[in-house]
Amino acid sequence: MRIGELWGDFVDSTPSVSRGLAEAKVAGLWPAVVGPEAAARTVSVSVHNGILTARLDSSVARSALFMQRDALRDALNKAAGGNVIRTVILK
């Protein structure tokens, strides 16, 4: 077997690894989903157990994104190709 096939089989058979990889992918999709202005105001993004936490340096940007939390969750899940994010927390 090729290493790629072995890796794919391992990821498919290990839900925690599969979820961790998907969560890492979602954190990288944040700038594309929120756009350049909000991405520039984002200090950090982390994902753990389906909860995306984004820290922003602007209360105005945080308030604007807060009103769009459900749409952000849906857009991130769509971009990731699955139901990875359950909740978006903005700090």
Side-chain angles (χ1 to χ4, degrees):
M1 284 185 103
R2 298 177 67 184
I3 190 74
E5 293 170 353
L6 290 171
W7 177 252
D9 290 346
F10 172 72
V11 169
D12 291 343
S13 67
T14 313
S16 61
V17 171
S18 179
R19 181 156 193 83
L21 290 172
E23 288 180 350
K25 179 181 178 181
V26 168
L29 295 170
W30 177 258
V33 171
V34 298
E37 291 179 23
R41 294 292 190 184
T42 303
V43 175
S44 66
V45 177
S46 62
V47 181
H48 185 67
N49 290 332
I51 300 171
L52 181 139
T53 303
R55 296 188 186 278
L56 295 113
D57 66 2
S58 165
S59 61
V60 174
R62 185 171 49 252
S63 294
L65 291 176
F66 182 83
M67 301 300 286
Q68 302 173 30
R69 284 179 316 187
D70 292 338
L72 288 172
R73 181 199 61 221
D74 294 345
L76 287 163
N77 283 332
K78 183 177 180 181
N83 191 20
V84 180
I85 303 298
R86 291 176 319 202
T87 305
V88 174
I89 297 175
L90 303 166
K91 295 185 175 186

